[in-house]
């Protein structure tokens, strides 16, 4: 990969937070999908592995410790609203700034 595709300098702090919100939100939704202890534990572990093994630009962004990640809400629907908005915004952002 070229330096440009892995350098997080092409993203603003707000854009990085959008990517992190999308990624962490998906893992949280996976864990919330089945309230059973074994299934949610497995989902959380699989999601954690996916987050920690991401590569390229997204992997570098996920490795950063950003302040402001907020996945709180009063329901799973609130979490889904934030997550799906962040996912849509992330896809647009990556197509524009890092199409590779």
């Amino acid at each position: 990969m070229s330096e440009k595709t892995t350098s997080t300098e092409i993203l603003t702090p707000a854009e990085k937070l959008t990517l992190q919100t999308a990624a962490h939100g998906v893992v949280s939704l996976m864990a919330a999908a089945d309230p059973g202890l074994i299934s949610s534990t497995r989902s959380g572990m699989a999601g954690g592995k996916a987050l920690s093994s991401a590569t390229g630009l997204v992997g570098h962004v996920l490795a950063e410790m950003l302040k402001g990640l907020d996945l709180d809400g009063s329901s799973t629907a609130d979490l889904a609203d934030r997550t799906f908005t962040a996912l849509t915004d992330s896809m647009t952002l990556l197509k524009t700034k890092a199409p590779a």
Side-chain angles (χ1 to χ4, degrees):
M1 282 193 164
S2 70
E3 184 65 30
K4 185 174 183 178
T5 58
T6 59
S7 174
T8 62
E9 294 172 4
I10 64 172
L11 300 175
T12 67
E15 291 168 335
K16 292 176 185 180
L17 194 56
T18 297
L19 291 173
Q20 285 197 352
T21 300
H24 289 278
V26 166
V27 172
S28 296
L29 285 172
M30 286 173 46
D34 184 353
L37 177 61
I38 294 176
S39 294
S40 61
T41 300
R42 286 184 183 164
S43 295
M45 290 174 60
K49 286 181 182 180
L51 292 177
S52 66
S53 63
T55 60
L57 176 65
V58 174
H60 288 280
V61 170
L62 293 178
E64 290 186 25
M65 300 297 284
L66 298 176
K67 291 184 180 181
L69 183 63
D70 181 13
L71 296 175
D72 292 335
S74 60
S75 68
T76 304
D78 288 342
L79 175 60
D81 288 344
R82 289 181 193 207
T83 301
F84 295 145
T85 299
L87 280 169
T88 301
D89 293 346
S90 294
M91 294 306 298
T92 301
L93 171 68
L94 292 172
K95 284 180 186 178
T96 303
K97 291 205 173 182

